[in-house]
Amino acid sequence: MELLENFETIQVETPVDKIIRQIRGLIIAGYLKPGDKLPSERKLSEKLGVGRTYIRDAIKKLEFLGILNTLPQSGVVINGVDITAMEGLLSNVMKIEKPDFFSLVETRVMMERFSVQQAAMRRTDEDVRRLEDALVAYEKKIESGAPAENEDFVFHLRIAEAGHNSVIKTMMLIILPDILKIYRKQNVCSDSKLAKTFGEHHQILQAIKNQDVEASVQNMSAHLEDVLKFSQSKI
């Protein structure tokens, strides 16, 4: 039994991981530079021999990491990123263990409570504007009847930015894409909960605007209570 414990589980690289690795390599080698446009999903799918869903998931993950940016009528472009920082960040993302859903959510809750606390104390007028824009984007998405998971997470990332703690933001960028994927599979963000979520987002934003630290933390804790309970039920 002691000998068996010296073996490590083999991690099989997914198509999404392989796509991310190729894009990472092209950026580090200088073939892709800030402002360069990626080929279309269709062309990438044909060239790499994988479905467009894998291409789309890889792009979304790199968008969350701030490496890619989708511009209206322009397509997907490379952001102006620090190559050294990007290489280390992506290496961590590629090597991170596949934690269980509860561990991911529990970690997120701890970070979000700290993040919103700092946002209430440190936010600038520009931070408030960006939070308001993110909330409007979320509202428009739910009014259209389309899935709003991305807009939900953008709002939370704006809170992390308003807290002006780069480490927390980076950690959020690492775990949020994996949580988003599980949310979709488990149908956590159902249509019936969207209006409730929007109201909770509004309360959190108002507390941050008022620089009310206690209310900010209380509102965030209440906002994440349902998903934390749901993740505990999956243990």
Side-chain angles (χ1 to χ4, degrees):
M1 189 65 179
E2 291 181 2
L3 177 61
L4 185 61
E5 291 180 354
N6 290 319
F7 286 87
E8 295 182 359
T9 302
I10 295 174
Q11 297 294 334
V12 179
E13 201 172 42
T14 68
V16 172
D17 290 335
K18 291 180 180 179
I19 295 165
I20 290 174
R21 191 180 296 281
Q22 286 205 40
I23 293 174
R24 166 185 178 272
L26 290 172
I27 293 174
I28 292 172
Y31 290 107
L32 285 173
K33 299 179 176 63
D36 285 352
K37 181 180 175 182
L38 281 187
S40 68
E41 286 183 8
R42 179 181 60 80
K43 290 182 178 179
L44 285 172
S45 176
E46 292 173 353
K47 177 63 178 177
L48 298 176
V50 296
R52 292 175 67 171
T53 300
Y54 292 123
I55 303 293
R56 200 170 298 122
D57 286 348
I59 289 173
K60 284 181 178 178
K61 196 158 192 174
L62 290 170
E63 281 180 325
F64 274 120
L65 296 172
I67 293 165
L68 298 180
N69 190 22
T70 299
L71 301 176
Q73 301 179 339
S74 297
V76 182
V77 299
I78 309 298
N79 270 338
V81 294
D82 183 298
I83 298 301
T84 303
M86 184 208 71
E87 186 172 3
L89 176 59
L90 278 181
S91 294
N92 289 336
V93 172
M94 305 294 279
K95 294 175 183 176
I96 193 170
E97 292 181 4
K98 301 297 183 184
D100 60 87
F101 185 37
F102 174 71
S103 295
L104 282 170
V105 173
E106 185 179 44
T107 302
R108 178 196 174 188
V109 170
M110 289 188 293
M111 290 193 298
E112 293 261 28
R113 286 172 177 162
F114 175 79
S115 181
V116 77
Q117 177 193 63
Q118 298 306 304
M121 292 190 292
R122 300 174 177 177
R123 63 86 175 152
T124 64
D125 291 342
E126 176 62 17
D127 291 326
V128 171
R129 186 191 65 76
R130 286 164 62 83
L131 277 164
E132 290 174 337
D133 288 346
L135 190 57
V136 169
Y138 180 80
E139 184 178 25
K140 287 181 178 178
K141 208 62 177 290
I142 62 176
E143 286 176 349
S144 70
E149 295 101 330
N150 285 349
E151 287 71 21
D152 183 2
F153 282 117
V154 167
F155 179 78
H156 285 272
L157 285 177
R158 293 291 177 262
I159 293 174
E161 291 171 351
H164 296 277
N165 183 306
S166 60
V167 174
I168 286 292
K169 180 186 174 183
T170 298
M171 292 173 68
M172 292 273 284
L173 286 168
I174 290 174
I175 69 170
L176 283 182
D178 287 326
I179 293 179
L180 175 58
K181 186 183 297 183
I182 297 171
Y183 275 19
R184 285 173 176 155
K185 287 183 179 178
Q186 300 285 349
N187 195 29
V188 175
C189 303
S190 61
D191 293 343
S192 61
K193 297 179 181 178
L194 293 179
K196 178 177 180 288
T197 299
F198 174 76
E200 291 169 349
H201 280 185
H202 181 76
Q203 290 178 331
I204 292 168
L205 172 57
Q206 197 59 48
I208 292 173
K209 288 174 68 173
N210 295 338
Q211 295 191 298
D212 188 332
V213 175
E214 184 177 352
S216 296
V217 176
Q218 287 177 349
N219 290 338
M220 180 62 78
S221 297
H223 174 55
L224 296 174
E225 185 177 359
D226 285 347
V227 72
L228 184 59
K229 287 180 179 178
F230 180 82
S231 66
Q232 288 173 326
S233 72
K234 296 298 179 181
I235 296 176

